[in-house]
Amino acid sequence: MNHIIKGLRAEYLKTHQTSIYWLLLLCPLALNILVVLLLNEVGQKWIKGETNPWKVLYFFNYNLLAEFFIVLFIAMMTSLINQVEHKGHSWKHLYALAQPRWAVYVNKSLYSVGMLFFVLFYFALMQMISGLVLSFLRPDFGFQSRDLAIIFNFTIMLKMFLAALAIWSIHHWITFRYRNFSLSIGIGLLMLIFITLTINSREWIDYIPYAYVKQVLEVKREAVPAIFTQEVWLSLGVGFVIWLGGLWDARRRDIL
Amino acid sequence: MRDYIIETHQLNFSFGKFKVLHDLDLRVPQSSIYGFLGPNGAGKTTTIRILLGLIKSAPNKISVFGKDLIKHRVEVLRQVGALVEMPSLYLHLSGRKNLEITRTLIGNISKNRIDEVLEIVGLTKDAHRKVKQYSLGMKQRLGLALSFLADPDLLILDEPTNGLDPNGIKEIRELIISLNRDFNKTIFVSSHLLSEVEKVATHVGIIHKGKLHFEGSIDELRDQQRPTTLIEVNNSAKAIEVLQAQNIAAASVQNGTLKIEANDKPMIHQINSSLLNAGLEVYQLSPQQSSLEDLFMNITQTAQN
């Protein structure tokens, strides 16, 4: 436990005020601004009648996230976190310190997964601010008079986080292992194209970890969705197995 | 007091089919500066990486502080500081922040210790600057500071003067001597330059193609120096035949100049007479005191042959 606390603090010191932080802060912000602008212009197409505008806003944001951004974001975030060590030739330093070999991988993992959770939580909060902004820009949408659907928002966010863990475990391992910054992003892009082309072939969807986040949004808007659905369990299972593979590799690897 | 801080027993290592280390038996005495010498590709860095547990080896082959490295890795590394090739530094952070990260990871080190090590390596004034603005020598000194931040008893330094200018080399050399003399650290330092090692080391191990060819104190190495004589003649091939007839072997032949391992006067007189009697023209007979560099070259070249 002691190794983990020390390791997390060290990770924070390494990445504090670096491009990782800007990425974490600016990506959710940019996505929210994009959605605000879009709904401000053509929101009336979706927000009409009894439709709760907050849920429309959430769906817009999470759809964009699931369709494009989350894969690229994870690919970039894991790359940046592990690049700190690759660029500094620091693996040999970390592995030569008096700490168990597993601690190097576990510390990086916890920090990285914590970042992912933080950014999704921040993204969920930002959406509520976006709704408030829209309530001023377009009072006709009725944001001010409808239920904020906070539980709905954070449930989707939590499901998104859990369903993204399989993708995260793949990219975390790749970027931990290989110095090449573009490898993780390249794989992310390829997989995005692949799932865009194959998303309709339902028989394969359970075998593609990159498709789990998309399935999160296949819920009815009326009710709060259950958290532990099939795609979440699959992501947790696949993610854990891949993470164990990464841990095994990190423990046995020779630092050359 | 323990005799040896590091001991390896018949240590072997291969990269696939390529054998890098052959039955390596190292013994590094406590409180020594042990110069681990060898040409590039001799197996120095591989040995160091094995000693630090960066490359896995078989159990019971390496003992550090009397403990098996594989079984007691964390315990052993608690007393070891290392600088392997280029220092591991986060370039976007200041020198102080780099030390702070290592302090956090190791734990149980007071904050004041950072100021102490910065003072020792002479980086106090530059501690706040980002490491990417440091010169190579400053980075190397910061790397050294990281290695002894936890006040370890053993420092393992892999070519710490690589890429430095003469001034930087001198600074690192003085730092190594000071750490050994003033702080009683045992220092295992690798290099491919004997001239550098002989200025700091108390003990030397010479490795070539993965085999240890010499191990002992620097005085024992000097004892192996043999006096030589350079002989310049008009026909070196014939001169070799004449000398061989008298059971005198030429150590080397270069540009028609023979080098033989002897410089006592009766022997030189005898050689001169025989060469002249054989009709050769002798232009020069010059007694030499061979340098440690020659000895090193001799050891590594003999091994090659």
Side-chain angles (χ1 to χ4, degrees):
Chain A
M1 197 61 194
N2 200 18
H3 290 297
I4 291 171
I5 293 164
K6 288 189 285 188
L8 288 176
R9 184 169 144 66
E11 289 302 325
Y12 169 76
L13 288 171
K14 282 179 219 173
T15 51
H16 184 54
Q17 289 174 345
T18 60
S19 47
I20 302 167
Y21 272 74
W22 289 114
L23 181 80
L24 296 182
L25 295 174
L26 294 179
C27 274
L29 185 70
L31 206 56
N32 271 282
I33 292 173
L34 188 72
V35 172
V36 167
L37 292 174
L38 196 75
L39 288 180
N40 184 43
E41 287 300 314
V42 290
Q44 60 276 11
K45 277 189 187 175
W46 296 280
I47 305 169
K48 50 192 169 190
E50 285 305 300
T51 317
N52 183 340
W54 288 97
K55 286 191 177 176
V56 173
L57 172 71
Y58 300 148
F59 261 89
F60 245 92
N61 273 301
Y62 286 120
N63 246 317
L64 271 176
L65 189 71
E67 290 290 334
F68 305 105
F69 291 100
I70 198 155
V71 174
L72 293 179
F73 177 80
I74 289 172
M76 203 171 275
M77 183 194 72
T78 51
S79 272
L80 287 171
I81 288 176
N82 287 310
Q83 269 297 311
V84 169
E85 311 301 343
H86 290 299
K87 274 168 82 177
H89 306 280
S90 314
W91 294 117
K92 57 182 191 284
H93 180 61
L94 292 179
Y95 276 93
L97 288 176
Q99 59 176 345
R101 281 178 151 247
W102 59 257
V104 180
Y105 195 74
V106 169
N107 292 342
K108 283 260 168 220
S109 300
L110 287 174
Y111 188 72
S112 179
V113 89
M115 287 285 188
L116 180 62
F117 182 82
F118 165 79
V119 91
L120 286 174
F121 187 81
Y122 166 62
F123 182 61
L125 280 178
M126 286 290 296
Q127 291 178 58
M128 298 171 75
I129 296 168
S130 296
L132 289 175
V133 172
L134 276 169
S135 70
F136 286 108
L137 294 173
R138 295 294 301 262
D140 53 309
F141 287 166
F143 275 96
Q144 58 278 34
S145 58
R146 299 297 297 266
D147 171 32
L148 262 68
I150 296 172
I151 295 173
F152 182 87
N153 180 14
F154 283 94
T155 306
I156 297 281
M157 174 242 127
L158 189 59
K159 275 173 74 76
M160 197 66 87
F161 167 71
L162 295 173
L165 288 178
I167 305 172
W168 169 83
S169 64
I170 295 169
H171 287 267
H172 181 60
W173 189 0
I174 291 170
T175 53
F176 185 89
R177 203 65 169 84
Y178 301 102
R179 188 187 168 89
N180 190 337
F181 184 79
S182 47
L183 182 67
S184 169
I185 294 162
I187 290 173
L189 273 172
L190 273 177
M191 291 314 294
L192 260 181
I193 296 165
F194 179 69
I195 52 167
T196 308
L197 297 175
T198 59
I199 193 72
N200 292 327
S201 63
R202 305 295 299 181
E203 66 270 26
W204 290 104
I205 208 158
D206 292 346
Y207 302 102
I208 309 167
Y210 290 80
Y212 300 154
V213 282
K214 291 196 172 203
Q215 294 176 65
V216 167
L217 296 173
E218 293 170 0
V219 292
K220 288 180 180 163
R221 289 186 195 188
E222 293 75 40
V224 174
I227 293 173
F228 292 100
T229 46
Q230 185 183 268
E231 71 278 6
V232 168
W233 282 118
L234 277 169
S235 172
L236 286 173
V238 171
F240 187 62
V241 169
I242 294 170
W243 183 80
L244 281 180
L247 180 65
W248 170 80
D249 181 48
R251 286 190 64 197
R252 60 167 278 285
R253 78 187 271 209
D254 285 335
I255 309 299
L256 300 172
Chain B
M1 185 167 141
R2 192 176 294 110
D3 289 338
Y4 299 112
I5 291 282
I6 301 174
E7 283 181 88
T8 67
H9 313 280
Q10 306 269 296
L11 180 64
N12 287 288
F13 185 78
S14 303
F15 283 119
K17 285 181 181 171
F18 180 67
K19 197 156 188 185
V20 184
L21 300 178
H22 303 259
D23 298 331
L24 200 67
D25 287 310
L26 288 176
R27 277 175 198 84
V28 178
Q30 183 156 21
S31 303
S32 67
I33 300 179
Y34 185 101
F36 192 44
L37 268 168
N40 290 330
K44 301 187 296 292
T45 299
T46 304
T47 306
I48 283 180
R49 285 177 191 254
I50 291 173
L51 291 177
L52 292 168
L54 295 173
I55 299 178
K56 294 231 175 100
S57 61
N60 303 316
K61 292 285 181 187
I62 304 159
S63 149
V64 184
F65 297 104
K67 289 174 190 147
D68 181 56
L69 178 68
I70 302 297
K71 289 178 192 152
H72 304 274
R73 184 184 152 272
V74 174
E75 211 178 318
V76 165
L77 290 179
R78 219 166 263 148
Q79 300 173 73
V80 180
L83 172 61
V84 185
E85 291 177 319
M86 63 187 79
S88 302
L89 301 170
Y90 303 109
L91 303 180
H92 63 287
L93 299 175
S94 67
R96 183 179 291 278
K97 209 60 163 259
N98 269 274
L99 289 161
E100 181 61 36
I101 289 168
T102 299
R103 187 186 82 91
T104 304
L105 279 169
I106 297 171
N108 299 326
I109 302 173
S110 76
K111 269 211 156 178
N112 296 339
R113 178 68 185 158
I114 290 180
D115 294 317
E116 280 172 34
V117 295
L118 282 167
E119 180 74 35
I120 293 169
V121 298
L123 284 175
T124 306
K125 279 184 187 163
D126 299 291
H128 65 283
R129 284 172 58 198
K130 285 192 176 175
V131 174
K132 63 181 165 197
Q133 298 167 351
Y134 280 18
S135 69
L136 195 60
M138 289 163 83
K139 284 179 188 163
Q140 213 72 5
R141 280 188 279 148
L142 182 61
L144 267 176
L146 283 168
S147 71
F148 62 85
L149 182 67
D151 201 17
D153 295 319
L154 169 66
L155 283 175
I156 296 180
L157 312 174
D158 186 16
E159 310 245 8
T161 56
N162 241 3
L164 298 184
D165 59 20
N167 205 32
I169 292 173
K170 191 166 167 272
E171 283 176 2
I172 298 290
R173 190 197 305 145
E174 284 166 359
L175 200 53
I176 289 172
I177 293 170
S178 152
L179 286 169
N180 174 256
R181 189 191 51 212
D182 305 332
F183 300 94
N184 198 30
K185 308 284 178 210
T186 303
I187 300 173
F188 181 91
V189 55
S190 81
S191 177
H192 59 277
L193 301 170
L194 179 70
S195 54
E196 264 315 302
V197 166
E198 69 172 314
K199 285 174 187 150
V200 294
T202 57
H203 292 75
V204 178
I206 296 177
I207 185 176
H208 185 59
K209 293 197 168 172
K211 289 182 185 164
L212 195 67
H213 290 280
F214 174 84
E215 188 177 58
S217 69
I218 202 94
D219 292 333
E220 283 170 325
L221 182 64
R222 287 202 175 102
D223 287 345
Q224 294 214 350
Q225 286 177 286
R226 290 186 192 145
T228 56
T229 300
L230 292 181
I231 307 169
E232 192 181 349
V233 288
N234 60 336
N235 185 342
S236 55
K238 194 174 175 188
I240 290 170
E241 282 173 26
V242 172
L243 293 175
Q244 273 175 347
Q246 295 179 51
N247 290 326
I248 300 168
S252 67
V253 183
Q254 218 170 27
N255 301 330
T257 305
L258 280 70
K259 186 193 266 185
I260 58 162
E261 284 180 357
N263 73 353
D264 56 310
K265 285 175 181 168
M267 175 73 99
I268 291 172
H269 171 68
Q270 187 197 327
I271 289 168
N272 190 28
S273 305
S274 9
L275 293 173
L276 291 173
N277 289 340
L280 290 161
E281 292 172 16
V282 179
Y283 305 127
Q284 190 192 172
L285 279 165
S286 165
Q288 307 275 311
Q289 188 62 43
S290 72
S291 66
L292 279 179
E293 203 70 51
D294 291 334
L295 189 59
F296 173 60
M297 293 301 286
N298 200 20
I299 288 171
T300 52
Q301 276 169 8
T302 308
Q304 204 152 2
N305 299 332

